[in-house]
C-alpha cells in the first residue's frame, strides 16, 4: 500500500495545509456571499418590505406578509438540493458551486431594482416572490457543495474543524447583511431608507459575487469525488448501470436523511427566531428603535463567527453528538430567558439574549457539516447531505419567523414562541441520540446501508483517526 505521503488518490491522505486553506477560504467566501444575500432579504423583510410592498396593511400584518414571501424561498431549497445534488454527484462539486453563486447574486441584485407597490401594484410583490424563489433554489445547492468540497479535501482527524469554516459563512453573511443595513439606517433618515436606502445592500451583491467567483474558480475539484467518478466510469464500461443519486440515496440512506432533518429542526428554528424575528419583536412589539436590535444581532453574529471553528475542533475531540446535544438542549432552555431579556428593553440585555442564543446555536451548527458529510457515500453525498438539510428548512426555517409573528399577534405574549422553540429542541435531541457517532469516519469507506445491508466495520484508517 502506498504511504499517506505519496498516494495521490488516497482519500485518507490529508491535503497540504496551504492547499486546504485555499479550499477552505474559497468555500467560506462563497458561502458568506450567498448567506449575505439570503439573510439580507430576511432582515429587510423584518424592517422595510412590509411598508414598501404591502403598504395597505397594518404594520404587523405587513411584516407577516413580508415573512410569507421570505418563507416561500425555503420551498425552493429542497428542489435546489435535488437538482444541484444530482449534478454535483455526477459532474462535480466545483461546477455547481459556481452556478449557485451566480444565481444567488443575480437574483439579489435584481431585488434591489424591483419598484415598490406604489409603482407596480400587485406586480411588485409577485416579482419580489419570484426572485426569492430563485434565491432559495440557489441556496439549496450551495450548502452541500461548499461543506463537501472542504470535507472531501481534508482528513478524518481534523474534519470537524476544517469543515466548520464554511459554516462560518452563515454568521459572516448575516454580520455583513445586518452591518450594511445598520450603516444605512444610521446615515439615512427613515424616509430615505424606506424610499431607496434599503436597495443599496442588494445592489452591492453584484460586486461581492465577482469577488466570490474569482476565488471559487481558483480551487481544485474534490479528490475523493474524482476517484469515485473514475470508479463509476469503470462500472459503466462494464455495462453496470448506476442509479440516479436521488433514487439511490432515498433507498439506501433514508435513515440518515431523517437524522439530518431532525437534527436541523432546533438549529434552524432557533436561528431565525434569534436573528430575524428578534427584529420584528423589538421594533413592532417592544417599540424599540431599529438600531439597537440590529447592533445586538451584529455583536452576536461576530461572536458566533469566532466560536464556530472552536466547536468544530471540539467535535473532533469528543464527537459530533455530544457537542450537538449541548447546543440543542441549550437553545431549548435559553428560549425562555431570551424573551425575558428582550422585554427589559435594555441594550446590554438585548446583546446578552442574542449572543448566548447564538453560542448554543454554534454548538449545533459547527459540527453539522462534518456530521452530515460522514453519513453518506461519496457518489450520493451531495444529494443526501443537501436533501437532509434542505427538507428540514421547509418545516423549520421557512415558517419560523412566520409562526413566531403569528403567535405574537394571536397571544400578545412570547410564551408560545418559547414553547415552539423548546419543542423543536426535543425533536433534535431525539434525532441526534438516535444517530450513530461519525467522528473519525473515513469518507471513502462509507458505503450505502439499505434496509438489509449493514454498514462496514471501521477500517484501519478510521481506527487510526480515532
Amino acid at each position: 500500500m502506498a504511504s499517506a505521503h505519496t498516494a495521490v488518490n488516497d482519500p485518507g491522505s490529508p491535503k497540504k495545509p496551504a492547499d486546504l486553506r485555499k479550499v477552505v477560504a474559497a468555500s467560506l467566501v462563497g458561502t458568506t456571499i450567498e448567506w449575505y444575500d439570503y439573510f439580507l432579504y430576511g432582515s429587510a423583510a423584518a424592517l422595510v418590505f412590509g411598508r414598501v410592498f404591502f403598504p395597505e396593511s397594518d404594520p404587523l400584518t405587513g411584516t407577516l406578509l413580508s415573512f410569507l414571501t421570505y418563507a416561500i424561498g425555503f420551498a425552493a431549497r429542497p428542489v435546489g438540493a435535488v437538482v444541484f445534488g444530482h449534478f454535483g454527484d455526477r459532474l462535480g462539486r466545483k461546477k455547481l458551486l459556481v452556478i449557485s453563486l451566480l444565481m444567488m447574486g443575480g437574483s439579489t441584485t435584481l431585488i434591489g431594482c424591483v419598484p415598490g407597490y406604489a409603482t407596480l401594484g400587485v406586480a411588485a410583490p409577485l416579482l419580489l416572490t419570484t426572485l426569492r424563489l430563485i434565491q432559495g433554489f440557489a441556496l439549496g445547492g450551495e450548502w452541500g457543495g461548499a461543506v463537501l468540497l472542504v470535507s472531501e479535501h481534508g482528513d478524518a482527524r481534523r474534519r470537524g474543524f476544517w469543515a466548520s469554516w464554511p459554516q462560518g459563512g452563515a454568521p459572516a453573511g448575516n454580520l455583513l447583511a445586518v452591518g450594511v443595513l445598520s450603516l444605512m439606517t444610521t446615515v439615512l433618515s427613515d424616509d430615505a431608507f424606506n424610499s431607496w436606502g434599503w436597495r443599496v445592500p442588494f445592489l452591492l451583491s453584484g460586486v461581492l459575487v465577482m469577488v466570490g467567483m474569482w476565488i471559487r474558480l481558483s480551487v481544485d475539484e474534490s479528490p475523493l469525488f474524482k476517484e469515485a467518478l473514475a470508479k463509476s466510469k469503470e462500472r459503466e464500461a462494464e455495462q453496470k448501470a448506476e442509479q440516479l443519486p436521488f433514487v439511490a440515496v432515498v433507498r439506501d440512506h433514508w435513515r440518515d436523511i431523517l437524522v439530518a432533518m431532525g437534527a436541523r429542526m432546533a438549529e434552524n428554528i432557533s436561528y431565525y427566531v434569534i436573528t430575524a424575528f428578534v427584529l420584528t419583536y423589538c421594533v413592532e412589539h417592544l417599540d424599540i428603535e431599529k438600531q439597537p436590535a440590529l447592533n445586538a444581532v451584529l455583536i452576536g453574529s461576530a461572536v458566533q463567527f469566532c466560536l464556530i471553528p472552536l466547536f468544530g475542533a471540539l467535535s473532533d475531540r469528543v464527537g459530533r453528538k455530544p457537542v450537538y446535544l449541548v447546543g440543542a438542549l441549550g437553545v431549548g432552555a435559553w428560549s425562555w430567558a431570551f424573551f425575558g431579556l428582550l422585554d427589559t428593553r435594555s441594550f446590554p440585555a438585548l446583546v446578552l439574549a442574542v449572543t448566548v442564543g447564538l453560542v448554543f446555536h454554534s454548538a449545533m451548527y459547527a459540527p453539522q457539516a462534518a456530521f452530515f458529510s460522514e453519513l453518506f457515500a461519496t457518489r450520493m453525498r451531495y444529494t443526501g447531505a443537501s436533501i437532509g438539510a434542505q427538507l428540514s428548512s421547509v418545516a423549520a426555517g421557512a415558517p419560523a419567523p412566520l409562526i413566531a409573528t403569528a403567535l405574537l399577534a394571536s397571544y400578545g405574549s412570547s410564551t408560545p414562541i418559547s414553547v415552539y422553540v423548546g419543542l423543536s429542541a426535543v425533536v433534535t435531541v431525539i434525532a441526534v441520540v438516535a444517530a450513530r457517532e461519525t467522528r473519525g469516519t473515513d469518507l471513502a469507506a462509507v458505503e450505502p446501508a439499505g434496509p438489509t445491508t449493514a454498514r462496514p466495520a471501521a477500517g484501519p484508517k478510521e481506527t487510526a483517526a480515532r
Side-chain angles (χ1 to χ4, degrees):
M1 179 182 294
S3 71
H5 296 287
T6 59
V8 177
N9 290 323
D10 179 6
S13 62
K15 195 84 170 170
K16 290 181 181 179
D19 294 339
L20 183 55
R21 291 190 189 102
K22 183 178 180 181
V23 173
V24 170
S27 293
L28 174 59
V29 170
T31 306
T32 297
I33 293 169
E34 295 225 25
W35 279 116
Y36 164 80
D37 292 347
Y38 206 72
F39 287 143
L40 183 60
Y41 190 104
S43 298
L47 296 174
V48 71
F49 280 178
R51 298 181 183 89
V52 176
F53 294 101
F54 306 99
E56 296 184 357
S57 304
D58 65 81
L60 198 56
T61 302
T63 302
L64 196 62
L65 291 171
S66 296
F67 276 141
L68 183 59
T69 67
Y70 170 78
I72 285 173
F74 285 81
R77 283 168 66 169
V79 180
V82 173
V83 174
F84 278 86
H86 171 83
F87 289 105
D89 282 329
R90 288 297 181 94
L91 304 177
R93 298 17 176 155
K94 177 180 171 179
K95 295 183 181 70
L96 275 297
L97 284 173
V98 169
I99 294 171
S100 70
L101 186 59
L102 284 173
M103 289 184 68
M104 177 66 86
S107 58
T108 303
T109 303
L110 288 175
I111 287 174
C113 302
V114 176
Y117 185 90
T119 302
L120 290 185
V122 294
L126 288 176
L127 280 173
L128 183 71
T129 302
T130 301
L131 293 170
R132 179 60 175 176
L133 284 169
I134 296 173
Q135 276 193 326
F137 181 81
L139 191 65
E142 162 68 21
W143 180 85
V147 300
L148 293 188
L149 197 62
V150 176
S151 295
E152 294 178 345
H153 269 92
D155 65 306
R157 187 173 62 86
R158 301 191 68 196
R159 185 179 298 124
F161 171 72
W162 290 116
S164 70
W165 279 98
Q167 299 292 78
N174 199 28
L175 186 65
L176 189 59
V178 176
V180 174
L181 281 174
S182 179
L183 176 64
M184 299 305 296
T185 59
T186 300
V187 301
L188 297 176
S189 65
D190 283 347
D191 288 341
F193 178 78
N194 292 335
S195 175
W196 59 269
W198 67 269
R199 299 180 183 276
V200 174
F202 287 89
L203 298 174
L204 179 63
S205 176
V207 178
L208 296 176
V209 166
M210 302 318 312
V211 175
M213 286 291 294
W214 175 68
I215 296 174
R216 187 159 276 184
L217 286 169
S218 67
V219 301
D220 295 328
E221 181 56 84
S222 155
L224 202 61
F225 172 79
K226 290 179 181 178
E227 181 178 329
L229 182 61
K231 291 179 180 178
S232 173
K233 289 180 178 178
E234 289 175 5
R235 287 192 294 268
E236 290 176 0
E238 297 171 0
Q239 296 184 337
K240 294 180 180 179
E242 190 174 63
Q243 279 194 319
L244 295 175
F246 176 76
V247 175
V249 79
V250 170
R251 184 197 66 190
D252 296 331
H253 283 285
W254 62 270
R255 292 184 183 88
D256 298 319
I257 290 175
L258 291 178
V259 165
M261 289 176 63
R264 284 267 287 175
M265 293 301 289
E267 179 266 305
N268 233 214
I269 289 172
S270 65
Y271 189 77
Y272 290 108
V273 168
I274 293 168
T275 61
F277 173 72
V278 68
L279 302 178
T280 297
Y281 188 82
C282 289
V283 175
E284 303 293 347
H285 183 67
L286 299 180
D287 200 25
I288 298 174
E289 292 294 324
K290 291 190 288 285
Q291 201 60 48
L294 285 168
N295 289 342
V297 175
L298 271 173
I299 294 169
S301 296
V303 172
Q304 184 179 33
F305 179 78
C306 298
L307 285 178
I308 281 179
L310 299 180
F311 278 120
L314 182 63
S315 77
D316 285 327
R317 296 182 64 85
V318 304
R320 317 297 185 217
K321 291 176 61 174
V323 178
Y324 212 112
L325 287 170
V326 167
L329 292 169
V331 295
W334 187 249
S335 63
W336 298 91
F338 177 77
F339 289 104
L341 288 168
L342 297 184
D343 289 342
T344 66
R345 293 179 170 83
S346 161
F347 179 67
L350 260 67
V351 173
L352 180 64
V354 172
T355 302
V356 174
L358 290 178
V359 168
F360 287 124
H361 178 267
S362 300
M364 293 183 285
Y365 200 56
Q368 189 180 98
F371 184 28
F372 289 6
S373 298
E374 291 159 347
L375 292 174
F376 301 95
T378 301
R379 286 291 282 163
M380 56 188 82
R381 184 170 291 131
Y382 200 146
T383 302
S386 297
I387 290 175
Q390 303 307 334
L391 278 178
S392 63
S393 70
V394 177
L402 194 64
I403 289 173
T405 303
L407 289 172
L408 181 63
S410 298
Y411 295 95
S413 166
S414 63
T415 300
I417 306 171
S418 298
V419 173
Y420 170 52
V421 176
L423 290 175
S424 73
V426 171
V427 174
T428 291
V429 168
I430 293 172
V432 175
V433 168
R436 60 191 176 87
E437 178 57 65
T438 63
R439 177 176 66 96
T441 297
D442 179 357
L443 292 181
V446 180
E447 296 293 338
T452 59
T453 306
R455 291 183 182 274
K461 289 178 185 176
E462 182 177 350
T463 304
R466 291 183 188 278

